[in-house]
Amino acid sequence: MLEPFFLLTCPQGTLRAVIGELGLDSTAQRVGDGVHEIALSDRWSLDDGRLNGGYQLSVALRALATEVPLPDPVVASASYLRPAMPGPARVRTEVVRAGRRLATGTARLVQAGPDGAERDVLRLEATFADLAATPADPVDLTVPPALPPFAECVSFGGPDAPPGAATVGRRMRYGVPALPGWVRGEPSGDPSAEFWFAFADGSDATLLDLAFVVDGAAPVVLEMGRGSSTAQLTVHLREHPAPGPLRCRTVTRHLAHGLHEEDVEVWDADGALVAQSRQLALLL
Amino acid sequence: MLEPFFLLTCPQGTLRAVIGELGLDSTAQRVGDGVHEIALSDRWSLDDGRLNGGYQLSVALRALATEVPLPDPVVASASYLRPAMPGPARVRTEVVRAGRRLATGTARLVQAGPDGAERDVLRLEATFADLAATPADPVDLTVPPALPPFAECVSFGGPDAPPGAATVGRRMRYGVPALPGWVRGEPSGDPSAEFWFAFADGSDATLLDLAFVVDGAAPVVLEMGRGSSTAQLTVHLREHPAPGPLRCRTVTRHLAHGLHEEDVEVWDADGALVAQSRQLALLL
């Protein structure tokens, strides 16, 4: 039987928070030097059964975080190589540089291929710091979305998510001033969105969860009638979010050669910028 | 004697362009399976002799590009682990996935440490495509900077660069409507810049050169009286630039915990978006 993730794998002896949907879903044990055996949950899947890219990233980053001597991932970049499926997987980690202010590690999320041999699903490189070691002293020139209070917004996802193969939509709840065009079957042509995000079970997002949040929402190219599959995603994790729902803005500004970028920014309930991501994705 | 880079290392038998300052400065030979021996030039250094981060990235990406079966890097992300110095180095490459539309590889730029042992200076992960295989069909919602013609701008860098230890400034020429505040010793407080970029020798930037261009300019936190050292940089390379100078915009929007982000966007002379980068850097 697998035990909850951080009980088994945290080398510093401190019990990091195991809270919320994502934390509790990522059971794992450390089975060797830097190697973690993970049971990937089927509760974070897309229509076709593949796992959401943000979930993969967050799970691999959690495993890597237990190996790196500084606590807070501040930047993580991931290449998506093959579909990840629910079931057994491993995360193979390597600490490549441990400095005083920054430490960097890599992680490979691997699963068995059709021939049974292990193959890379995701490659991740991340740099860690100790955010508590320096005062925040923020200078913030970003502008959070102006949204009505979450309680006054139209809610979708969570218990309202349509039943079907995609399970990831049930894990979170969005609040929007009005239902997006693509949800109503009328794509707006404007590839941008502003919305509240919360986990459906009411738990607060942690710094590590933000690596999921930035890829948790539907791609805004849906407003152009296009689907999307992430090829590469880089996320900056800048601050531990205050408790409460998150404000998010998603924008795509460039499509060419069958590829598009998508930027996501996330602010916490206190209005602090907590994450910025950019991905390059294949247009489907 | 080392031969120019691409003459020796291109496995497809096609001679890729060796033009301009950067291409001609990166002499290398393939010395083993995926391993390239490189003489890092002293013409791309900063004040303290360390090499510019964009130069390191571009050199490592050039070596990787000769190993990956698709021609055009569309996204590259690099972690800066230790200072790179002019002199001998190696690039150790690995192709981790070669698909039909996308192929991904990693590269490690290594140099000898004080004990003579090889150690990582930079780690790079990049995904490649064949831009010529799909029509561009661009949808571009970015807005290039409105600049006076290059010839009417104030020029700095190139032959006008101050003499001294930093050589990288002599490799390129910037055109700006007015000299930046930090150059005049009066930082403006606004961490943004819009400018023309050209190589000082008059050569046109290639797709691979754009990986240098996005880190070639001075960090805009200089307008806040701060210095900067890149920790991680991700760049999207979206189009082969048309000949001619490039329009660039650099913006920093968030500083906290001794770290700042910096976004750079680059448009070619025809107004097409050709590159977007984001870096996370240490404030000095």
Side-chain angles (χ1 to χ4, degrees), chain B residues 1-10 26-39 63 66-67 89-91:
Chain B
M1 200 197 95
L2 294 171
E3 296 287 324
F5 190 60
F6 288 97
L7 290 174
L8 286 164
T9 57
C10 187
S26 308
T27 53
Q29 52 186 336
R30 195 174 195 273
V31 294
D33 196 20
V35 183
H36 299 251
E37 220 156 69
I38 308 248
T66 67
E67 302 284 344
R90 286 184 174 211
V91 182

Side-chain angles (χ1 to χ4, degrees), chain B residues 100-133:
Chain B
R100 192 179 54 84
R101 288 180 66 182
L102 299 176
T104 300
T106 63
R108 295 163 48 217
L109 178 67
V110 300
Q111 284 194 305
D115 61 354
E118 193 176 85
R119 58 185 197 172
D120 289 358
V121 163
L122 172 146
R123 286 237 182 183
L124 166 67
E125 199 160 281
T127 293
F128 292 69
D130 181 358
L131 292 178

